[in-house]
Amino acid sequence: MRYGHFDDTRREYVITRPDTPLPWINYLGTDAFFGIISNTAGGYSCYRDARLRRITRYRYNSVPPDSGGRYVYLRDNGSGQYWSPSWQPTQRKLDHYECRHGLSYTQIASAYLGVRAETLYFVPLDETLEIWRLRVSNERDTPADISVFSSVEFCLWDAQDDATNFQRNYSTGEVEVADGVIYHKTEYRERRDHVAYFACSEPLAGFDTQRAAFLGAYRGWDRPAAVERGESFNSIAHGWSPHGSHHVRLSLAPGETREVVFLLGYWENPRDQKFDPPGSGVINKALVRPVIDRWLQPATVAEGFDRLRESWTSLLSTLRVDTPDGDANRMANIWNPYQCVVTFEMSRSVSLFESGIGRGMGFRDSNQDLLGFVHMAPGRSRARILDLASTQLATGGAYHQFQPLTKRGNNDIGSGFNDDPLWLVLGVAAYLKETGDASILDEPVPYDNAEDSATALYVHLERSLRYTLDRLGPHGLPLIGRADWNDCLNLNCFSDTPGESFQTTVNKDGGGAESVFIAGLFILAAKDLAEIAERRGLAGDASSYRAAAEKMAGSIVEHAWDGAWFRRAYDYFGNAVGSSENEEGQIFVEPQGICVMSGIGVQNGMATRALDSVREHLATAHGIVLLRPAYTRYHVELGEISSYPPGYKENAGVFCHTNPWVMIAEAMVGRGDAAFDYYKRINPSAREEIAEIHRCEPYVYAQMIAGKEAPTHGEAKNSWLTGTAAWNLVAITQWILGIRAEFDGLRIDPVLPAEWPGFTATRRFRDATYEISVRNPAGVSGRVGHLLVGGESIAGTLVPLAPPGATVNVEAVIR
Ligand code: BGC
Ligand code: NOJ
């Protein structure tokens, strides 16, 4: 069953009924001002940091769901009837409803009582404001007298404090209303230099700024008193809950359309120019007012929207593919890169499953997000790499996350995840392969942001590897620390206190818990750093990294091969995890993916054996589950993983992030059919027709799909902010289609399903354009047998770098 359809030409997903299984959201903003918006206009906005600069309030886990948003109410003043043109919150049954989620904008259109309304929401490039462009049309054959009410609820900036500290916050709220603009100025009297504002292009019939006045006693968003009676109260908030609502009256002739623009913005004043007159406590509006005036002009709005769309066209043009599979094309060309941009910006901070408070910008997560982003925006990737590396610790270790506003690392969700530093090497390597910009390696970068601690970025990478090598366990495998990629495999945590966080509880010292996953990751990182060192003229470094990688591979083969698959770990007591010796959790997916990716067993059959075991034990119609059999009881020595009921999350859910590792591994061993088959199973577009089972948005990947031991097998959760986005884009474009940026050129090494006749692609790479055509005349899942570059046959599969500005034709034939 479907709730809408894709419009590929407009790069939109069109939702045709409002009551989707869950709110289906989209993101607004591309730089500093961000928001989420659901298909019924729910959601919130923030400036840079969803915890410390939350602009509007949202109630997570509320009833009805999706409570709080960018609401518009329309009232037919003739009959007194009122409704929400976005369906929520009044839920009046609309005669027509359509929500179009596009790239960084959402448009919701509907019709009721002969009045059509269409609201376009977007954040213009380079601005710290969002626009709601409302068009109201009278489709009756008589005049219509319509009231429009806008509504936002201001959050008192710090979202954590906002949800907890009522004894203070009910007394701090302050607003100003001046020239039709509502300013939210809570705490501006003291240390804040910023205000939020809510402006409207039309003369106001009234306004409200105190929520209780607007709604009326004991009423919800579905029945605001002001809307019901058709007149604002002109309330001024003193404490309690500052809110913003404009009231505009429109007299519409039959067939007439009117446009009303609302702006919700964030503004910072220089500290010494906060007040006007100085010392008065009144906001100085001289600097913000011209911005407001400009963006209230319909022409500026139209132009701003065009620029936003053009910026997406240009971003997405870095790589375009045309394959025989429509779902793959749609995801690879539009939605997957879009999701990669969103994950790059948001990391794991703002979604319907991430509250914007707890998990901010992950170190591991952000480095992986780069893998799916760097080709689109190398400049922003460079800046992110330097920010991330600046939080690295002098030991080579890393904070698990950092705060976007302060860019400082914190231990709020734990520390000592021993895989973290290695991801930095992968992120930097991806940047170097994409750009060739070796200057980044010489950038002075501090440790833990401490002044005078800086070394060249290259030294950070060395320390990342050293961090692993200094922490090896009894089998020569890396010590796991608190956890590795799998945050829930907590082999040193031993928590038996209810409710205690597995992420922050004491990590038991002295054990030898080791991670096979980190071992595989180390090999990938060491090989990358060897290549980097070689190109810096450091042949000695390069060979020592290669030797370390080889030694690690030896330890894996010797101590982590279980007979038919790679083991997952050794626990605190030295017992194997993910082994046929175990009663539960006998096989895990992560080591099969990462060990094969690191090259182990590709030549000698061990890799295909491990991948066959994945197919046999872990593959389901809804994707590959993380482990099997699921843990049916709590294992204190394994930690959070066994806290989940069987089939959910890390306990044998289809943890989608890991699936592309298996796709890549299958491609590496040359099995294109298997690789693409796995790709299709979790591709959200391919799952659109089972939307009632999948339940999350059909245009983006979810972190998790319930596994086969779960009663809700096939149900997705935690959509949007997941490493699944970057890794799936890598898997389909770089390994299945085989178009990979490398240090010295563009690799063309597709591993396709046998039945594909071929595909074409355009890739912009280091200022040249590559027009790629791959043919598979024999209908095999083989490798490139013949490569022509500019009509000339070349040996191997690496297309050498072309001069800037060149267009290069690349033709490959599969054999
Ligand atoms: C989740 C993990 C997540 C971790 C982050 C756990 O509860 O299951 O997926 O990475 O929290 O702290
Ligand atoms: C989600 C986290 O964001 C990510 O860092 C982690 O690797 C996975 N969960 C697996 O636990």
Side-chain angles (χ1 to χ4, degrees):
M1 175 179 174
R2 295 172 195 239
Y3 295 80
H5 57 266
F6 286 92
D7 182 338
D8 293 334
T9 317
R10 290 177 53 156
R11 301 184 303 219
E12 291 171 340
Y13 191 81
V14 188
I15 301 166
T16 49
R17 52 186 283 184
D19 55 340
T20 44
L22 296 168
W24 284 359
I25 68 163
N26 192 15
Y27 284 77
L28 306 178
T30 52
D31 183 21
F33 190 104
F34 288 106
I36 50 173
I37 181 162
S38 72
N39 57 309
T40 59
Y44 62 95
S45 295
C46 61
Y47 172 75
R48 283 196 196 282
D49 186 315
R51 171 169 171 185
L52 301 177
R53 291 289 183 279
R54 181 81 60 100
I55 295 169
T56 54
R57 186 171 288 142
Y58 189 73
R59 289 179 182 75
Y60 276 92
N61 201 2
S62 185
V63 280
D66 198 22
S67 179
R70 301 170 180 84
Y71 294 142
V72 169
Y73 299 86
L74 298 182
R75 183 176 188 276
D76 175 32
N77 293 327
S79 64
Q81 292 197 68
Y82 62 92
W83 69 99
S84 305
S86 57
W87 187 62
Q88 282 251 68
T90 65
Q91 296 192 1
R92 217 73 85 226
K93 191 173 169 0
L94 301 165
D95 299 327
H96 165 77
Y97 159 91
E98 183 186 88
C99 167
R100 289 178 171 265
H101 281 322
L103 306 181
S104 303
Y105 67 88
T106 286
Q107 181 180 298
I108 303 177
S110 63
Y112 188 66
L113 298 181
V115 177
R116 189 183 147 82
E118 182 190 285
T119 317
L120 172 70
Y121 299 92
F122 73 100
V123 175
L125 299 176
D126 309 319
E127 297 288 349
T128 59
L129 56 88
E130 69 182 43
I131 289 171
W132 312 0
R133 187 190 67 192
L134 169 70
R135 286 182 173 152
V136 187
S137 310
N138 177 12
E139 293 181 335
R140 304 174 188 164
D141 47 19
T142 52
D145 173 16
I146 302 295
S147 277
V148 179
F149 293 87
S150 62
S151 168
V152 293
E153 191 184 4
F154 292 111
C155 180
L156 303 178
W157 300 114
D158 180 333
Q160 166 89 20
D161 186 67
D162 185 70
T164 47
N165 194 4
F166 304 106
Q167 62 81 25
R168 168 179 161 83
N169 296 341
Y170 283 164
S171 294
T172 56
E174 290 190 284
V175 297
E176 282 179 32
V177 181
D179 303 323
V181 181
I182 296 167
Y183 295 87
H184 173 231
K185 59 181 261 188
T186 300
E187 293 184 346
Y188 189 73
R189 59 169 53 246
E190 27 115 352
R191 289 155 297 175
R192 294 189 185 275
D193 314 322
H194 41 271
V195 295
Y197 59 86
F198 193 31
C200 172
S201 62
E202 301 306 297
L204 301 189
F207 63 86
D208 274 298
T209 68
Q210 182 60 278
R211 187 185 74 201
F214 176 73
L215 292 180
Y218 289 89
R219 285 162 174 253
W221 299 112
D222 57 331
R223 239 165 24 102
V227 179
E228 190 177 275
R229 74 170 193 166
E231 198 181 333
S232 299
F233 295 91
N234 297 341
S235 58
I236 296 289
H238 301 284
W240 295 112
S241 304
H243 167 263
S245 171
H246 310 96
H247 176 201
V248 172
R249 279 189 88 136
L250 302 176
S251 295
L252 298 168
E256 188 183 355
T257 298
R258 288 276 296 277
E259 188 167 305
V260 184
V261 177
F262 297 100
L263 302 183
L264 175 65
Y266 171 91
W267 188 258
E268 271 173 23
N269 270 335
R271 194 143 268 210
D272 57 354
Q273 294 174 48
K274 277 173 65 169
F275 302 113
D276 180 22
S280 66
V282 178
I283 303 165
N284 172 12
K285 304 172 187 84
L287 299 171
V288 66
R289 194 62 229 199
V291 177
I292 297 176
D293 289 338
R294 196 152 62 83
W295 283 103
L296 287 177
Q297 301 300 319
T300 315
V301 171
E303 194 193 310
F305 186 55
D306 288 346
R307 277 189 62 212
L308 177 68
R309 293 198 42 124
E310 281 156 21
S311 81
W312 273 107
T313 303
S314 136
L315 216 56
L316 298 184
S317 67
T318 315
L319 173 63
R320 310 269 319 152
V321 306
D322 188 3
T323 79
D325 188 275
D327 297 309
N329 293 342
R330 173 184 285 152
M331 289 309 291
N333 289 329
I334 305 172
W335 294 97
N336 198 344
Y338 180 49
Q339 188 177 0
C340 287
V341 172
V342 170
T343 54
F344 173 84
E345 296 294 357
M346 299 277 113
S347 191
R348 304 300 171 264
S349 113
V350 182
S351 74
L352 283 192
F353 303 88
E354 304 281 9
S355 66
I357 295 174
R359 299 182 348 115
M361 310 290 289
F363 188 90
R364 170 204 296 144
D365 296 323
S366 295
N367 277 301
Q368 287 175 87
D369 294 343
L370 281 168
L371 307 179
F373 179 78
V374 66
H375 62 293
M376 290 184 275
R380 278 152 82 192
S381 304
R382 190 182 205 274
R384 173 62 56 76
I385 287 170
L386 298 176
D387 284 348
L388 281 165
S390 304
T391 69
Q392 191 177 19
L393 304 170
T395 58
Y399 285 106
H400 201 43
Q401 67 170 10
F402 71 104
Q403 202 64 40
L405 196 65
T406 62
K407 297 190 175 167
R408 296 294 188 271
N410 66 61
N411 287 327
D412 293 356
I413 56 160
S415 57
F417 297 81
N418 281 351
D419 65 313
D420 269 331
L422 294 172
W423 294 109
L424 179 66
V425 182
L426 267 63
V428 173
Y431 173 78
L432 292 170
K433 290 174 192 173
E434 183 62 37
T435 62
D437 166 26
S439 75
I440 194 174
L441 296 167
D442 295 315
E443 283 283 342
V445 180
Y447 294 88
D448 198 2
N449 295 102
E451 267 174 50
D452 302 331
S453 66
T455 68
L457 177 66
Y458 179 75
V459 179
H460 281 253
L461 306 184
E462 289 187 304
R463 291 195 192 180
S464 293
L465 288 198
R466 183 49 46 215
Y467 182 85
T468 304
L469 292 174
D470 286 347
R471 289 166 183 74
L472 297 179
H475 301 92
L477 298 167
L479 293 175
I480 197 169
R482 179 168 296 279
D484 58 23
W485 170 87
N486 190 331
D487 282 324
C488 297
L489 191 60
N490 313 121
L491 303 180
N492 297 306
C493 292
F494 298 91
S495 173
D496 45 25
T497 305
E500 183 170 60
S501 160
F502 291 94
Q503 318 292 331
T504 54
T505 187
V506 174
N507 230 12
K508 230 165 135 69
D509 280 333
E514 296 168 284
S515 160
V516 179
F517 179 85
I518 300 181
L521 182 62
F522 175 86
I523 297 171
L524 284 175
K527 284 181 171 174
D528 270 339
L529 197 55
E531 299 265 324
I532 293 169
E534 208 160 67
R535 285 168 181 78
R536 271 175 93 74
L538 302 171
D541 285 13
S543 60
S544 82
Y545 298 137
R546 289 209 174 94
E550 232 165 83
K551 192 158 174 227
M552 191 66 82
S555 305
I556 295 179
V557 170
E558 189 175 345
H559 299 293
W561 181 248
D562 198 62
W565 57 76
F566 295 99
R567 293 181 172 175
R568 180 62 176 82
Y570 285 96
D571 72 12
Y572 184 83
F573 307 101
N575 299 318
V577 178
S579 156
S580 52
E581 285 169 14
N582 301 116
E583 198 189 316
E584 305 189 309
Q586 294 178 337
I587 169 171
F588 280 63
V589 68
E590 306 100 297
Q592 322 315 326
I594 203 96
C595 290
V596 177
M597 284 163 72
S598 78
I600 298 178
V602 174
Q603 308 301 337
N604 66 12
M606 204 179 233
T608 46
R609 184 74 194 87
L611 294 171
D612 289 344
S613 297
V614 169
R615 175 160 295 260
E616 189 182 331
H617 300 291
L618 302 176
T620 77
H622 296 291
I624 305 165
V625 297
L626 193 143
L627 62 87
R628 208 197 81 109
Y631 297 107
T632 55
R633 60 180 177 84
Y634 180 52
H635 295 251
V636 68
E637 77 288 4
L638 300 179
E640 184 170 356
I641 193 163
S642 60
S643 73
Y644 288 109
Y648 294 104
K649 294 275 288 180
E650 281 86 346
N651 187 12
V654 174
F655 213 95
C656 295
H657 186 144
T658 64
N659 282 220
W661 296 338
V662 177
M663 297 167 205
I664 294 169
E666 288 285 5
M668 287 180 74
V669 303
R671 303 199 297 199
D673 286 308
F676 191 71
D677 172 32
Y678 288 138
Y679 174 74
K680 282 289 271 202
R681 295 187 199 198
I682 62 165
N683 180 323
S685 162
R687 296 172 62 78
E688 187 195 13
E689 61 192 43
I690 53 162
E692 78 286 5
I693 296 172
H694 185 79
R695 289 170 58 84
C696 279
E697 298 90 338
Y699 39 92
V700 287
Y701 288 97
Q703 181 206 61
M704 198 257 318
I705 297 173
K708 58 186 167 187
E709 277 109 333
T712 57
H713 185 35
E715 181 186 22
K717 272 187 203 146
N718 302 8
S719 54
W720 279 101
L721 302 183
T722 161
T724 311
W727 278 108
N728 265 297
L729 193 63
V730 168
I732 183 68
T733 61
Q734 299 184 19
W735 293 93
I736 298 177
L737 302 183
I739 305 170
R740 278 197 298 284
E742 291 195 0
F743 290 102
D744 307 317
L746 191 62
R747 179 76 63 191
I748 307 294
D749 183 19
V751 182
L752 306 179
E755 65 176 26
W756 279 21
F759 71 92
T760 58
T762 304
R763 173 72 152 92
R764 261 204 335 259
F765 176 58
R766 305 221 198 157
D767 297 328
T769 303
Y770 297 80
E771 297 289 356
I772 303 158
S773 134
V774 174
R775 288 188 303 115
N776 180 19
V780 289
S781 178
R783 301 303 270 254
V784 169
H786 192 155
L787 193 66
L788 290 173
V789 178
E792 308 266 322
S793 175
I794 65 160
T797 54
L798 190 66
V799 179
L801 292 174
T807 297
V808 183
N809 279 309
V810 180
E811 293 164 72
V813 181
I814 307 279
R815 279 206 203 115

